[in-house]
Amino acid sequence: MSDVKPIPDDYPRVTPYLCVDGAAAAIDFMVEVFGATERMRISAPGGMIGHAEVAIGDSIIMVSDEYPEMGVIGPKKIGGTAVTVMVYVEDADDTFAKAVAAGATAERPVETHFYGDRGGQFTDPFGHRWNVSTHVEDVAPDELARRSAEMFGE
């Protein structure tokens, strides 16, 4: 009988895995913008990263360099991304400003939203899209429904 757990204790059930042209620089970006810490790195030939893990708060993001021969490519190679990584932060304005200063492209400015979050969206220099938000108001379900209907003109 094995004592190995099918879901390790120190991993969340869902973990984004970002493939990047320049994984080391992407990790540096996450450290600078989010205060991420690198948990581990498996180096590959040619200075590449075969696999790395960074922690942002209690979340983990896995990262690797591109390996086109294995079908592992980043968003720039495919012309963009359909995925957005959402991160709750202590100060969305500050985090957004750090991201832009570190080379990200602002997509949607930071503003307070009807559902109780203040946040904005940017694309990092590697082509991945991020939402950063700070929760600023607890909105009751009936009030959320009213605000949503008002926003969408219902």
Side-chain angles (χ1 to χ4, degrees), residues 20-33 38 41 47-49 52 54 63-65 76 102-103 124-126 128 130:
V20 181
D21 181 9
I27 291 168
D28 291 344
F29 177 87
M30 287 184 259
V31 168
E32 182 176 344
V33 172
E38 187 173 325
R41 181 184 296 208
M48 304 278 282
I49 294 178
V54 298
V63 183
S64 79
D65 271 300
K76 287 186 172 183
D124 70 24
F126 315 95
H128 291 284
W130 301 79

Side-chain angles (χ1 to χ4, degrees), residues 29 31-35 92-104 122:
F29 177 87
V31 168
E32 182 176 344
V33 172
F34 298 112
D93 292 274
D94 181 61
T95 302
F96 189 88
K98 284 180 184 175
V100 171
F122 60 84

Side-chain angles (χ1 to χ4, degrees), residues 53-77:
E53 298 174 4
V54 298
I56 300 173
D58 60 357
S59 300
I60 296 170
I61 296 179
M62 296 180 179
V63 183
S64 79
D65 271 300
E66 294 182 318
Y67 293 91
E69 67 280 5
M70 296 188 311
V72 178
I73 55 175
K76 287 186 172 183
K77 291 271 189 324

Side-chain angles (χ1 to χ4, degrees), residues 2-4 8 12 15 17 24 33 46 61 77-78 104 108 114 128 139 141 143:
S2 173
D3 289 336
V4 175
T15 303
Y17 202 122
V33 172
I61 296 179
K77 291 271 189 324
I78 59 172
R108 290 198 314 250
F114 72 91
H128 291 284
V139 182
E143 177 62 10

